[in-house]
């Protein structure tokens, strides 16, 4: 999880929000392993070093059934354009298919043209109809 944490921090820097990371290795270990694991992660390694990840979790659609939510797909800048992101996406799609998922869902920042072009290779459907909503911890604690 140390490598995953490093990738999360690097991704936050890339997305211009390093201060938004509010998780640590202990929390990742707790949430990623054991009987109550809430996420899974695919790791890409080059020469035994982690250079990329696809962090995802099972979800459910009331209209479609099983689905997978891809929280983050990230490859270190030094290892981009080598097919690593494609391998991670293919592995995620394969796992989703085996699990019986009817959909894989994720978000991409509207300014990240490189990622948008990458995802177009997978024939994804971009949605301009739905608005993202977040209820953060401060508000959750009020109830």
């Amino acid at each position: 999880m140390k490598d995953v944490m490093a990738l999360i921090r690097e991704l936050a820097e890339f997305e211009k929000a390093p201060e938004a990371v509010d998780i640590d290795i202990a929390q990742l270990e707790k949430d990623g392993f054991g009987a109550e694991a809430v996420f899974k992660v695919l790791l890409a390694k080059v020469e035994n070093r982690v250079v990329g990840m696809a962090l995802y979790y099972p979800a459910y659609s009331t209209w479609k059934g099983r689905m997978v939510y891809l929280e983050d797909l990230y490859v270190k800048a030094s290892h981009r354009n080598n097919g690593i992101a494609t391998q991670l996406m293919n592995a995620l799609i394969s796992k989703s298919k085996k699990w019986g998922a009817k959909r894989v869902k994720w978000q991409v920042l509207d300014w990240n043209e490189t990622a948008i072009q990458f995802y177009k290779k997978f024939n994804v459907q971009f949605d301009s109809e739905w608005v993202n909503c977040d209820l953060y911890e401060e508000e959750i604690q009020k109830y």
Side-chain angles (χ1 to χ4, degrees), residues 26-143:
Q27 188 70 51
L28 285 170
E29 288 174 347
K30 178 182 176 204
D31 292 342
F33 299 95
E36 293 190 37
V38 294
F39 73 85
K40 297 177 185 286
V41 64
L42 298 169
L43 298 176
K45 292 183 177 183
V46 173
E47 296 177 0
N48 229 16
R49 295 182 58 206
V50 174
V51 298
M53 70 171 181
L55 193 143
Y56 65 100
Y57 50 89
Y60 200 80
S61 165
T62 55
W63 289 10
K64 301 294 183 189
R66 289 181 179 207
M67 60 183 253
V68 169
Y69 191 87
L70 173 61
E71 181 66 28
D72 285 313
L73 174 70
Y74 187 73
V75 175
K76 287 179 159 290
S78 59
H79 288 79
R80 291 185 190 144
N81 300 311
N82 291 316
I84 293 169
T86 299
Q87 290 176 355
L88 285 166
M89 277 298 289
N90 286 337
L92 176 67
I93 293 167
S94 177
K95 287 188 174 292
S96 299
K97 183 178 177 180
K98 286 178 186 167
W99 188 60
K102 304 283 179 134
R103 180 179 2 177
V104 178
K105 188 175 182 93
W106 67 93
Q107 298 169 306
V108 60
L109 290 165
D110 62 357
W111 56 260
N112 193 343
E113 273 302 316
T114 303
I116 290 168
Q117 292 307 313
F118 169 75
Y119 292 132
K120 283 182 178 179
K121 292 186 225 175
F122 292 90
N123 210 21
V124 303
Q125 303 299 311
F126 292 93
D127 188 339
S128 60
E129 194 173 331
W130 291 86
V131 175
N132 293 319
C133 301
D134 294 300
L135 185 63
Y136 289 104
E137 183 179 15
E138 305 84 52
E139 293 303 317
I140 293 169
Q141 294 306 319
K142 291 179 183 178
Y143 290 89

